[in-house]
């Protein structure tokens, strides 16, 4: 049997239909009440956290970077599973402050934090990852105005890269963090300011499937932190090692070898505990927690044949799922794993079809020339691996179509 999609079957299949959150997809669509929609399976998220806990050393704490999926219900669910949150804006901060997560376990990162955001963060008592001298000065001033000492960690732009990452976020010239070589000077200035030095945040990249690259970056991260700690105004209480664990999206990609990463990190921990006796060690992940637990579902509204090629026109598209259209950081467009959710392994065989959305632009493609079940109007098209960087990373206002529903099952 050729499976019409290339990701492992993480969702069960019964009677040719996908089962999501314990319910056949067609019934789920009725339960949701409209298409398109995003559905996230909380059991898969819970399982993923458990896999990480089993593989990583026990004193590695797990933080969820909520920009991967900021749906409030998902964030509430995560609050009971992870050790902390990382947010990237005042808007995301509001979402996590509605959970039971203690403020000391929340951090904010991102370039260009406004005075307004820094004041909110200081007042909330969360850790601010400082990304420039300017941010540090403003944080100290708003703290003094509020009569508190804000918790300040330094986000470092490392002097190395996370090799083979989908997105590099450190090494070379970057808008993120303070260049490693300039950190000693910044720490010197920090000594004179009314802020509480908390530690370092060293994030080098994202969407990495190569265990060796992650292992190398983690080793270099500890070494860099050791060097920087010599100039620190106080003990390192928080050492955020970044993350970057990727998930497979495209044909031929293999899942990350998590046990290898865990074993290597375990070997680094004795020295790390000795050198940073007061530190909490954090790995911060987004997509690895939630990416595989989510699907995007749209309905076929038209079936057209143009010069011998079949187009399935759906009610969903790039305005809800920019990443699946290939326009969110892909250099060469590749298909996400897509299938006809109610004809997964069709008895009548597969056909090559292109799945498009209703937008009047050739960019609005969800699957290009893929082998799919022979779909009819009314069938459900599923994009897998859609739990991260889906709706919130898409231009919903483009062309003025209705917003999709999001459900957590
Ligand atoms: C985006 C981001 C993350 C999450 O990246 P993933 O690839 O989703 O794991 C973590 N930390 C920081 C600082 C980020 O900007």
């Amino acid at each position: 049997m050729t499976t019409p999609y290339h990701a492992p079957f993480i969702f069960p299949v019964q009677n040719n239909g996908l089962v999501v959150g314990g319910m056949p997809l067609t019934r789920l669509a009725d339960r949701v009440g409209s298409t398109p929609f995003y559905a996230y399976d909380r059991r898969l998220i819970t399982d993923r956290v458990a896999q990480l806990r089993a593989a990583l050393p026990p004193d590695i704490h797990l933080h969820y970077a909520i920009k991967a999926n900021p749906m409030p219900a998902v964030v509430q669910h995560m609050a009971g599973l992870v050790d902390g949150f990382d947010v990237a804006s005042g808007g995301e901060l509001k979402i996590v402050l509605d959970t039971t997560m203690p403020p000391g376990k929340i951090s904010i990162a991102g370039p260009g934090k406004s005075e307004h955001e820094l004041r909110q963060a200081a007042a909330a008592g969360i850790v601010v990852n400082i990304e420039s001298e300017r941010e540090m000065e403003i944080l100290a001033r708003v703290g003094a105005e509020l009569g508190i000492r804000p918790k300040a960690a330094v986000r470092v732009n490392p002097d190395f890269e996370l090799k083979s990452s989908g997105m590099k976020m450190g090494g070379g010239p970057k808008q993120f963090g303070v260049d490693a070589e300039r950190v000693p000077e910044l720490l010197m200035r920090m000594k004179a300011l009314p802020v509480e030095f908390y530690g370092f945040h060293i994030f080098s990249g994202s969407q990495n499937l190569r265990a060796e690259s992650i292992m190398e970056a983690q080793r270099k991260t500890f070494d860099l932190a050791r060097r920087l700690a010599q100039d620190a105004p106080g003990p390192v209480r928080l050492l955020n090692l970044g993350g970057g664990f990727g998930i497979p999206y495209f044909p031929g990609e293999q899942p990350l070898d998590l046990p290898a990463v865990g074993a290597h990190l375990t070997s680094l921990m004795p020295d790390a505990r000795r050198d940073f006796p007061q530190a909490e060690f954090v790995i911060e992940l987004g997509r690895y927690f939630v990416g595989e637990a989510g699907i995007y579902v749209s309905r076929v509204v038209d079936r057209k044949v143009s010069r011998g090629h079949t187009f399935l026109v759906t009610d969903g598209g790039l305005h809800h799922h920019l990443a699946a259209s290939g326009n969110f950081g892909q250099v060469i467009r590749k298909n996400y794993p897509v299938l006809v959710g109610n004809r997964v392994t069709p008895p009548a065989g597969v056909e090559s079809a292109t799945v498009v959305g209703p937008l009047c632009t050739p960019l609005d493609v969800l699957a290009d020339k893929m082998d799919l079940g022979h779909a009819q109007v009314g069938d459900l098209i599923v994009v897998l691996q859609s739990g991260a960087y889906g709706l919130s990373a898409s231009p919903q206002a483009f062309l003025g179509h209705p917003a999709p529903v999001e459900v957590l099952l």
Side-chain angles (χ1 to χ4, degrees):
M1 182 192 77
T2 48
T3 53
Y5 75 107
H6 44 68
F9 272 90
I10 196 165
F11 294 95
V13 176
Q14 274 173 16
N15 305 322
N16 258 345
L18 216 58
V19 177
V20 181
M23 192 180 278
L25 181 70
T26 46
R27 178 159 162 203
L28 175 62
D30 283 321
R31 194 202 106 160
V32 171
S34 59
T35 53
F37 63 90
Y38 275 94
Y40 313 115
D41 184 331
R42 80 177 73 222
R43 188 183 58 78
L44 292 176
I45 297 174
T46 305
D47 289 353
R48 182 44 69 90
V49 177
Q51 287 158 14
L52 281 156
R53 297 253 188 234
L56 300 178
D59 48 357
I60 290 286
H61 288 184
L62 298 174
H63 283 204
Y64 175 46
I66 82 159
K67 83 170 189 286
N69 187 331
M71 183 199 186
V74 168
V75 175
Q76 290 288 346
H77 180 62
M78 292 301 283
L81 298 173
V82 296
D83 306 300
F85 286 128
D86 187 66
V87 301
S89 70
E92 289 190 353
L93 178 57
K94 181 182 177 308
I95 295 171
V96 300
L97 290 176
D98 284 340
T99 71
T100 54
M101 189 63 74
K105 302 290 179 188
I106 298 170
S107 58
I108 185 167
K113 294 179 203 68
S114 68
E115 173 162 347
H116 184 75
E117 285 170 320
L118 290 165
R119 181 180 293 269
Q120 272 184 293
I126 69 165
V127 178
V128 177
N129 290 312
I130 285 173
E131 315 225 3
S132 71
E133 291 77 1
R134 170 197 154 269
E135 287 187 4
M136 181 171 69
E137 299 292 336
I138 296 176
L139 183 67
R141 177 163 54 74
V142 298
E145 287 166 14
L146 293 167
I148 52 176
R149 275 176 87 84
K151 300 182 181 72
V154 180
R155 177 162 181 192
V156 182
N157 175 23
D159 43 14
F160 58 86
E161 286 186 343
L162 175 52
K163 288 178 194 148
S164 26
S165 276
M167 292 194 196
K168 289 196 174 35
M169 293 179 71
K174 287 282 181 302
Q175 72 268 49
F176 308 109
V178 178
D179 293 345
E181 57 276 19
R182 287 219 332 273
V183 170
E185 195 187 319
L186 179 111
L187 291 171
M188 193 66 76
R189 168 69 183 143
M190 191 185 279
K191 286 192 176 112
L193 293 174
V195 298
E196 190 183 342
F197 169 74
Y198 232 64
F200 298 110
H201 177 267
I202 306 177
F203 184 83
S204 45
S206 183
Q207 179 49 23
N208 202 303
L209 291 169
R210 293 200 36 199
E212 311 81 60
S213 303
I214 290 175
M215 283 148 57
E216 181 191 317
Q218 288 175 341
R219 184 174 51 71
K220 290 181 175 171
T221 297
F222 278 123
D223 288 344
L224 177 58
R226 281 187 187 95
R227 270 185 278 137
L228 297 176
Q230 292 168 5
D231 293 300
V236 172
R237 297 171 55 185
L238 178 67
L239 184 52
N240 187 324
L241 306 166
F245 298 10
I247 61 171
Y249 289 99
F250 307 119
E253 289 187 341
Q254 295 299 319
L256 176 68
D257 186 352
L258 185 62
V261 173
H264 178 257
L265 199 49
T266 300
S267 76
L268 298 177
M269 290 314 288
D271 286 354
R273 286 180 206 116
R274 181 198 63 214
D275 296 341
F276 305 102
Q278 298 189 42
E280 176 188 357
F281 301 100
V282 167
I283 287 205
E284 172 182 288
L285 302 169
R287 81 181 78 226
Y288 198 76
F289 285 128
V290 293
E292 298 186 84
I295 59 172
Y296 173 62
V297 182
S298 60
R299 199 178 285 281
V300 177
V301 294
D302 205 352
R303 196 190 143 85
K304 298 174 67 173
V305 177
S306 167
R307 306 204 162 115
H309 189 71
T310 301
F311 288 85
L312 302 171
V313 187
T314 71
D315 56 6
L318 77 74
H319 52 312
H320 301 156
H321 202 332
L322 188 67
S325 77
N327 294 292
F328 191 64
Q330 280 193 45
V331 182
I332 299 165
R333 191 190 177 288
K334 293 182 209 140
N335 286 326
Y336 263 50
V338 169
L339 68 152
V340 183
N342 53 311
R343 295 180 206 271
V344 178
T345 52
V350 296
E351 65 169 349
S352 173
T354 293
V355 180
V356 300
L359 305 190
C360 204
T361 158
L363 299 177
D364 193 11
V365 173
L366 291 177
D368 189 28
K369 300 190 183 74
M370 256 182 108
D371 286 340
L372 299 170
H374 195 98
Q376 305 299 323
V377 169
D379 282 352
L380 297 169
I381 300 290
V382 176
V383 184
L384 298 164
Q385 309 296 78
S386 297
Y389 305 105
L391 185 57
S392 70
S394 301
Q396 276 189 75
F398 190 37
L399 273 92
H401 287 282
V405 177
E406 284 183 292
V407 294
L408 175 65
L409 304 168

